[in-house]
Structure formats: structure tokens, C-alpha cells
Amino acid sequence: MIFVTGGAGYIGSHACVELLMAGHDVTVFDNFSNSQWEATERVQRIAGRTMTVVRGDIRDVQALQSALRASKAEAVMHFAGLKAVGESEAEPLKYYDNNVLGTLRLLEAMVACDVKTLVFSSSATVYGIPESLPYREDHRLSATNTYGMTKLVVENMLRDLHRSDPSWSIGILRYFNPVGAHSSGLIGEDPQGTPNNLMPYVAQVAVGRREFLNVWGNDYPTPDGTGVRDYIHVVDLAIGHVKAFDYLKTREGCIAVNLGAGSGHSVMDMVRSFEAASGRAVPFKVGPRRAGDLGAYWADASLAAELFGWRVERGLDRMCADTWRWQSMNPDGYKGEQ
Ligand code: NAD
Ligand code: UD1
């Protein structure tokens, strides 16, 4: 049994599908602060298997411990957390409370229940300003915003925990830019309010919910001047979690591993691919750089290949086609009619 915090969210729901399809039993623990119950129903529909879903908050010690005990979990995949960079700057304590205190409570509950295998959702944001590219796992770590700092604090907490008790098996997975959706069109990213991230914004322009995309800067030292990122299909990312668990279950240690494609694409590459996949125009206007943005970064993805035998299989065309299928089948996300 794998206990999945935040399993109703964007990445967690795709991970649950891949875990169920790989034959694992799954318990989701989520407070639905940024997700819908419907997502968990659809996960079970796609996988053709049931899972247990518990509504609860990782900061609620009682609820967490009893769900963890009842699930008889062998491992935890910990996706629960808040992820909006702008909001983290405006409300830092909310981010320390959810992401740091929430993880601390989870680790205490795991100790109490003697569960010592953990996969944690970290982010490429912990590398800060690039000293060299691609980012390798041994790149210096730093944070440029509160969200990133909460990831860094948790990473340090996990390394300290493992040092104190080497029988833990901990995988810190540093995601690059997850995009796309399940090929069924049943689950995908469902941002509340105005999307901050590129792909959901592009998809909402294409479907007619928004007039045009703001391209944040075209004067970066990149081939076309727009920002370059390492986009990774969310299903590849989800499969990476199953493979990471397969690796961790027989090994003790605390490892940090990049999950990225290993190559970069610009904002304009994404816009053009999305237009081709959707057959819709994506009007855009070039604006100033977004505060806090980096020009370009991408992953060295070789460690995940070496340790987990994992590499991405889905390129930009699949990322865009699957995002478009999800967006056009669910123009208002989970709340709308299919
Ligand atoms: P998401 O918001 O879609 O999913 C997070 C889930 O956690 C939601 O279902 C939410 O309801 C739940 N949650 C939040 N706080 C909780 C709490 N206190 N108790 C219980 N449940 C709680 O986000 P996502 O994109 O699926 O991201 C999953 C994880 O991956 C996060 O930790 C995020 O920081 C990390 N991450 C995401 C990205 C990305 O681009 N999406 C990139 C790097 C890292
Ligand atoms: C953002 C976060 C990062 C987090 C990541 C998770 C910021 C500053 N960084 O990264 O900490 O880990 O999300 O996915 O918020 N762009 C536009 N127009 C838009 C939106 C984005 O041009 O409307 C551009 C950006 O300038 C960037 C690229 O698209 O070059 C990707 O942006 P985004 O999807 O927001 O991801 P990141 O900035 O990489």
C-alpha cells in the first residue's frame, strides 16, 4: 500500500493512475484545498481499480496518524503542499505552515507508524541562479523565493533525518516543468483563478477563455529571446515516481534526483507546438520580463536514467496534444460538464 498525500492534485492524480496500473494499492490523503474529489473518481475510472480516499490535512496529527495506520502503508509519496510562488511571497507563513510544518507532522507520523520509505516532491527551483547548465544534482542549492525556501528546508530536514537514522529510504525528486495531461482527457491541470504557469494559460487562450498570452520578455540570451525551460509530460513524471519507488524499496539512503527531459524549449516553441496540436491560434503580446524569472534552465537527467532506468518518452507534441484534449473536453476543469 502506498500512501499518497496530495493525491487529488495535478501530479498526484497522475501518479495514482500509474501506481494503480503497476499493481500497487493506494490511499490518497488530501484536504482538497487545491483540488476536486472528482479527480479521484476519474483516476479510478482510468485505472479500472479502486483506491481509498481520505479527506484530511497533513497538519492534523490525529487524522494523519489514523489514516496512515489504517492504510498499513509501506511507503509515502508526499505531493501535498502549496506551490504558487507569488502567493508564497505575499503569505510566507502560510507556506511554512503547509509545506514545512505539514511535512514535519507527516514525518513524525511516519516515525510513529514505522514507515520509513518516502518520495518527496521537490523542485528545480532549489538550484536558484544557474552556475552551470544543465543543472546537475550536485549544483549549489539556494532559494530565490519563499516557496523555493520551503522546498529547501524540507530537503535539509530529510537529509538530517536520514543521517540520524540511516534505515530510511528517501527519494527527493526535483521536478522541472510538468505539463500535459493523461491521454484519456479525464484528468489534467485545473488551476483555480488566473493560471500563473505557461501551459494552462496557453490552453485557456486556445479554448477562448482568455484573449491573449502575455509573453514575459523576449530579450533573454536564448535563441528566440523568450524564456527556456525543461518541460516534462506529467505522465512521464508520474512513471518516474513508480520507478523511484521500485528503486527505493530495496535500498536505504537519501538521494536527490532530477526528473526532467534533459532539454530546453522556449515560450515560442511551446506556443507554436500548441497551435499545431490544437489547430487553434494562440494570440500573444510580448510584455516585460516577469520579476524573479530566470532566462533559461534545463536538467541533466542522466542520474534518473542510471538509478531508476527512467527517461522521458513523450515530446512536445504529446504534451500539447494531451493538454489540448483535457482542456477541450473539460473547458471549465473538473467543475464543468464533460
Ligand atoms: P496541486 O496543488 O495540484 O496538488 C497538491 C495537492 O495537495 C492538492 O490536491 C491539495 O489539495 C493538497 N494539499 C495542499 N495542502 C495540503 C495539506 N495541508 N494537507 C493535505 N493536502 C494538501 O499541485 P501539483 O502541481 O500536483 O504539485 C504537487 C507537488 O509537486 C507540490 O508539492 C509542488 O510543490 C510540487 N511541484 C510542483 C510543480 C509544478 O509545476 N506543478 C513543480 C515542482 C514541484
Ligand atoms: C514557475 C515558478 C517555479 C516553479 C514552477 C513550477 C515563478 C517565478 N517560478 O516556474 O518556482 O517551480 O513554476 O512549475 O513563478 N511565461 C510567459 N507567460 C505566462 C506564463 C509564463 O511568458 O503567462 C513564461 C515564463 O516567463 C517562463 C516560461 O513561460 O519563461 C515558463 O513559466 P512557468 O510555467 O510559470 O514556469 P517557471 O517560471 O519555470
Side-chain angles (χ1 to χ4, degrees):
M1 172 68 76
I2 305 203
F3 190 84
V4 182
T5 75
Y10 173 45
I11 303 169
S13 59
H14 289 82
C16 287
V17 168
E18 298 306 323
L19 286 168
L20 290 168
M21 308 261 276
H24 296 289
D25 293 324
V26 171
T27 293
V28 166
F29 188 85
D30 199 303
N31 68 358
F32 297 92
S33 58
N34 195 37
S35 52
Q36 306 293 324
W37 186 275
E38 175 66 15
T40 65
E41 304 278 0
R42 295 190 188 182
V43 163
Q44 297 173 77
R45 203 168 359 137
I46 295 167
R49 292 189 56 209
T50 58
M51 62 183 183
T52 305
V53 183
V54 179
R55 183 185 292 273
D57 194 300
I58 52 170
R59 294 161 298 176
D60 178 345
V61 179
Q62 292 302 325
L64 184 59
Q65 279 210 22
S66 61
L68 195 54
R69 236 180 265 285
S71 72
K72 299 193 167 59
E74 60 189 300
V76 173
M77 288 197 184
H78 178 33
F79 297 94
L82 303 179
K83 61 169 182 177
V85 173
E87 185 188 51
S88 79
E89 289 294 281
E91 297 181 73
L93 299 184
K94 183 172 162 184
Y95 274 68
Y96 281 102
D97 185 35
N98 247 279
N99 295 3
V100 177
L101 185 79
T103 304
L104 178 63
R105 294 287 169 258
L106 174 67
L107 294 172
E108 287 168 345
M110 290 175 71
V111 169
C113 299
D114 199 30
V115 181
K116 292 187 179 175
T117 302
L118 174 73
V119 175
F120 171 63
S121 303
S122 189
S123 164
T125 193
V126 299
Y127 293 121
I129 295 165
E131 288 173 340
S132 56
L133 284 171
Y135 284 133
R136 282 161 41 102
E137 287 81 356
D138 57 6
H139 189 280
R140 193 174 59 88
L141 304 181
S142 71
T144 52
N145 56 60
T146 303
Y147 165 71
M149 185 54 84
T150 65
K151 292 292 177 195
L152 208 45
V153 171
V154 170
E155 283 206 6
N156 285 331
M157 200 152 78
L158 295 174
R159 284 186 277 268
D160 291 343
L161 177 62
H162 174 259
R163 216 174 37 253
S164 75
D165 177 357
S167 69
W168 277 80
S169 304
I170 300 173
I172 294 169
L173 304 185
R174 296 182 180 144
Y175 311 157
F176 281 69
N177 286 54
V179 297
H182 192 266
S183 59
S184 61
L186 289 173
I187 58 172
E189 189 169 11
D190 183 19
Q192 308 304 303
T194 309
N196 296 312
N197 297 120
L198 178 66
M199 278 295 265
Y201 205 105
V202 166
Q204 292 191 5
V205 172
V207 84
R209 262 173 82 178
R210 302 191 186 270
E211 212 183 324
F212 59 88
L213 169 75
N214 285 298
V215 174
W216 300 130
N218 66 353
D219 58 350
Y220 286 107
T222 61
D224 64 20
T226 66
V228 165
R229 294 290 183 275
D230 185 331
Y231 295 94
I232 170 172
H233 195 296
V234 67
V235 172
D236 280 327
L237 184 61
I239 293 169
H241 286 70
V242 179
K243 300 236 172 164
F245 171 69
D246 287 343
Y247 175 87
L248 289 169
K249 69 186 178 196
T250 55
R251 288 174 185 84
E252 294 169 352
C254 179
I255 48 165
V257 181
N258 289 338
L259 291 186
S263 55
H265 294 286
S266 72
V267 174
M268 293 316 300
D269 289 339
M270 300 309 280
V271 168
R272 283 191 211 99
S273 295
F274 203 88
E275 289 183 326
S278 65
R280 301 279 182 104
V282 177
F284 66 87
K285 290 186 185 167
V286 176
R289 294 180 178 191
R290 182 171 64 177
D293 263 1
L294 296 170
Y297 64 81
W298 62 95
D300 179 329
S302 56
L303 187 61
E306 187 189 317
L307 298 183
F308 306 156
W310 170 91
R311 51 175 56 82
V312 299
E313 290 177 358
R314 294 159 182 79
L316 279 199
D317 47 348
R318 283 290 297 276
M319 299 178 201
C320 293
D322 290 338
T323 302
W324 177 239
R325 189 177 304 104
W326 154 252
Q327 182 68 62
S328 45
M329 282 171 68
N330 309 268
D332 299 312
Y334 290 111
K335 284 187 187 139
E337 292 287 317
Q338 246 211 296

